[in-house]
Amino acid sequence: MAVDKINVTGDTRVERRTAQVNGKTYGYLLGQPKAGQYRATVFLIHGFPDLSMGWRYQIPFLINMGLRVVAPDCLGYGRTDAPDPPQPYSHKQCADDIKALALSLGASKIILGGHDWGATLVYRIALWHPDLVTHVFTVCVPFVPPSPQYLSLEELVRTRAPNFTYQLQFKSEELEKAIRSKDEIRQFLLALYGGRTGDGELGFDARKGVLLDRMMRLGPSRLLGREELDYYTEEFARNGIHGPLNWYRTREINYRDELAILDRRITVPVLFIQALRDSALPPHLGKGMSKVIPKLTVKQVDTSHWALWEKPDEVNKILVRWLEEVVFVNGQSGSKL
């Protein structure tokens, strides 16, 4: 059975809104139950290279569960501002932005969901603003605590995580120089979304990055239809890919910021949905989470990095069960409406 999803070109279940947040314009999707009454507010934070519409399969069922849903385009993406320097993309600044957006909507307590960089960010929001967050769920990316020692990306790739080699390409300016036109942006997105050449070759390798020599030969991805790909291409063409790639240039900034929160822990309940076929994030990376997050639930899905689209039914069933058994146990959410 097909999973209900938001139509990218227009859907009455969501409104497109903008807000001025800490001197920046943020675009976001807002959906809520028809009656206007909701049990809690959930923020859905997307990753790279994605948009608020990355949660299109999750938004309808969350609304049906009585939640008010807020899905922002993150800094650099879509209808949100895309500053040129990397500093505004730090986890602390983006966490401050999300808190300010929540407060502007009258939400003093929120549930947080995140995928990819969005998962990394929601962990940080829970650390920087523990008064704001009641529950957290993440997809694909495990929690890594703040570190008292700085390890450069180059050293991390060389000594511990060769599967992150692609981030060296993303951090450099190679992709911005090669990907400028709308056609190039479309093909770049297909490389990350699993498009293949006529010979069945992929356009991305976690140990190399985007394979520019075959990028323009990639065909459609089975993970999204033509209308959705057209929408994503148009949204990314607004500001290009420099802003989204800035998220890969904040490692040292984040390290310095987080020296102030080395002693903090995530004490709220956390659901981690792990993708078993994520080439950049193999399953062993999540093994230590239970040692640092006391109220942790871990579930796995047999899917690639794009779990939200590839197996939406499985992901949604895991979320529903967790929401019912942990978040709304005995009908309570712990969230102020």
Side-chain angles (χ1 to χ4, degrees):
M1 186 175 75
V3 180
D4 188 18
K5 62 179 174 178
I6 296 295
N7 188 316
V8 295
T9 58
D11 198 300
T12 58
R13 292 171 292 185
V14 292
E15 295 177 63
R16 288 194 177 278
R17 290 191 177 185
T18 59
Q20 295 302 308
V21 174
N22 295 332
K24 312 173 196 95
T25 297
Y26 265 74
Y28 63 97
L29 301 176
L30 176 69
Q32 53 192 338
K34 288 181 180 178
Q37 299 292 315
Y38 47 90
R39 303 164 81 180
T41 297
V42 58
F43 268 62
L44 303 176
I45 313 297
H46 70 80
F48 177 91
D50 206 347
L51 297 161
S52 51
M53 273 293 176
W55 297 94
R56 58 193 174 275
Y57 287 98
Q58 286 69 48
I59 292 171
F61 95 83
L62 290 169
I63 294 172
N64 288 340
M65 286 195 72
L67 288 157
R68 178 171 67 157
V69 180
V70 181
D73 286 338
C74 287
L75 195 67
Y77 292 86
R79 305 189 188 195
T80 292
D81 283 351
D84 185 62
Q87 286 81 2
Y89 297 82
S90 72
H91 292 154
K92 184 180 188 305
Q93 287 201 39
C94 288
D96 291 347
D97 290 350
I98 296 300
K99 180 175 182 177
L101 180 57
L103 294 179
S104 77
L105 290 166
S108 60
K109 299 286 184 181
I110 62 173
I111 302 164
L112 267 176
H115 172 249
D116 187 77
W117 271 122
T120 302
L121 180 57
V122 301
Y123 295 132
R124 265 46 195 175
I125 298 170
L127 290 174
W128 283 112
H129 301 295
D131 56 323
L132 177 69
V133 182
T134 65
H135 301 80
V136 168
F137 63 88
T138 59
V139 183
C140 291
V141 178
F143 174 66
V144 178
S147 173
Q149 286 90 34
Y150 178 64
L151 186 67
S152 71
L153 179 60
E154 290 77 6
E155 188 72 4
L156 176 69
V157 166
R158 188 178 67 81
T159 61
R160 301 185 191 178
N163 45 297
F164 286 170
T165 303
Y166 70 94
Q167 294 191 16
L168 294 173
Q169 183 199 45
F170 288 8
K171 178 187 168 186
S172 76
E173 295 183 357
E174 177 185 358
L175 292 179
E176 280 111 312
K177 292 176 180 176
I179 299 159
R180 297 181 181 274
S181 72
K182 222 173 253 189
D183 282 346
E184 288 163 348
I185 288 172
R186 178 188 297 271
Q187 294 305 118
F188 162 75
L189 293 172
L190 284 175
L192 274 299
Y193 299 159
R196 293 176 182 266
T197 66
D199 297 329
E201 298 173 316
L202 290 167
F204 173 78
D205 184 327
R207 292 178 182 245
K208 296 178 182 178
V210 174
L211 305 173
L212 294 171
D213 58 332
R214 62 177 72 157
M215 184 182 80
M216 298 308 291
R217 295 185 285 116
L218 296 172
S221 165
R222 61 187 178 83
L223 296 178
L224 72 175
R226 178 165 186 166
E227 187 176 60
E228 292 169 333
L229 182 61
D230 287 347
Y231 171 83
Y232 269 71
T233 302
E234 291 290 335
E235 292 297 299
F236 271 84
R238 288 175 182 271
N239 294 301
I241 63 171
H242 174 74
L245 288 168
N246 265 344
W247 287 71
Y248 293 90
R249 299 171 178 133
T250 59
R251 186 175 181 86
E252 187 171 356
I253 300 167
N254 293 331
Y255 158 73
R256 295 188 185 282
D257 284 344
E258 290 172 6
L259 291 174
I261 55 168
L262 290 176
D263 60 338
R264 293 194 188 175
R265 298 290 180 265
I266 297 177
T267 58
V268 299
V270 175
L271 167 65
F272 174 47
I273 301 175
Q274 187 170 49
L276 293 176
R277 290 186 284 104
D278 191 324
S279 62
L281 296 158
H284 72 83
L285 293 180
K287 285 186 176 176
M289 281 181 66
S290 60
K291 296 176 184 175
V292 290
I293 298 179
K295 299 176 184 175
L296 177 67
T297 303
V298 178
K299 298 293 182 182
Q300 295 178 322
V301 287
D302 184 19
T303 173
S304 73
H305 181 70
W306 299 103
L308 299 175
W309 312 348
E310 188 176 350
K311 294 284 181 72
D313 189 46
E314 286 185 37
V315 170
N316 290 0
K317 283 177 178 174
I318 291 169
L319 276 174
V320 167
R321 186 165 183 178
W322 180 74
L323 286 165
E324 289 175 343
E325 295 181 356
V326 177
V327 180
F328 297 123
V329 61
N330 300 322
Q332 300 298 315
S333 70
S335 300
K336 292 181 182 177
L337 304 186

